[in-house]
Amino acid sequence: MSRLFISLVAVLFLLSGFGCSSLGGNIRPSDDPALEARYDDAGVKTAITTSLLKQSPSSANDVGVYCFNGQVYLVGEAGKGFREFAVETARTTKGVVHVTTHWFQPGTGSSLDDITLESSLNAKLREAAGEVSRVAVEAVGGHVVVMGVLKDSQEISRIEKALKDVSGVKSVTSYLVAG
């Protein structure tokens, strides 16, 4: 499944209001600071992804957008012009604290192989850490970028080592933080 299709489904899901109603009952994001941060991060990610899709749906497919506590990560293999647009879009989006990029040369990845590897990585994450809703992995040509928030430095080390042990991984770049 292409990143573009997944992004479109996520945007439609969030824009439909269903994503908000799934918070349940009388819970509002402001009732729980951790939930509020996740809610704001989802809004930031949606705003950036929507702008990228409007600019160029095919190029947007080459950029993974992730947000944790206002920290935006742009990962992928888009061309130089679209990279610049993506960074400027992220920097000017309300709620963004900082933008980190991790770019690969266009053509580095292999969609099917990378999707298969990401599935293996996500299974390894669940095995190593259990609840990993605040962690994301992106694989491009066997090179893995992991970002997110974990409870402490020991958990970060354990996750990084577990990901390096997955078959097909050529390298792991970590943007994991404790929090």
Side-chain angles (χ1 to χ4, degrees):
M1 202 175 301
S2 78
R3 186 179 302 134
L4 175 61
F5 177 76
I6 294 169
S7 296
L8 284 171
V9 170
V11 167
L12 291 173
F13 178 76
L14 289 170
L15 292 177
S16 71
F18 181 73
C20 295
S21 66
S22 68
L23 295 173
N26 296 322
I27 297 174
R28 294 183 327 272
S30 61
D31 290 342
D32 178 354
L35 181 59
E36 183 173 3
R38 290 182 194 176
Y39 178 79
D40 291 346
D41 288 343
V44 166
K45 179 180 176 174
T46 299
I48 295 168
T49 301
T50 300
S51 293
L52 298 181
L53 287 167
K54 285 180 182 177
Q55 178 71 15
S56 174
S58 61
S59 293
N61 190 40
D62 294 329
V63 179
V65 179
Y66 305 92
C67 186
F68 301 94
N69 300 331
Q71 169 67 47
V72 171
Y73 300 89
L74 302 174
V75 180
E77 52 184 329
K80 184 179 183 209
F82 197 75
R83 290 177 185 186
E84 292 168 358
F85 173 77
V87 170
E88 184 60 25
T89 298
R91 284 187 179 140
T92 59
T93 299
K94 182 181 178 192
V96 173
V97 175
H98 184 74
V99 178
T100 299
T101 61
H102 194 94
W103 301 118
F104 295 93
Q105 283 294 101
T108 301
S110 165
S111 294
L112 185 55
D113 291 341
D114 290 337
I115 290 169
T116 302
L117 180 56
E118 285 175 8
S119 177
S120 297
L121 291 164
N122 282 315
K124 188 60 128 177
L125 277 172
R126 285 188 301 278
E127 179 184 303
E131 174 59 39
V132 291
S133 64
R134 301 205 53 207
V135 176
V137 293
E138 178 92 18
V140 179
H143 301 280
V144 176
V145 179
V146 59
M147 58 233 109
V149 181
L150 292 169
K151 69 179 181 182
D152 56 36
S153 59
Q154 285 106 356
E155 188 172 37
I156 291 171
S157 295
R158 189 174 66 250
I159 293 300
E160 291 169 348
K161 182 182 180 329
L163 294 178
K164 288 175 184 174
D165 291 341
V166 173
S167 177
V169 171
K170 295 177 182 176
S171 67
V172 174
T173 302
S174 175
Y175 296 105
L176 293 170
V177 297

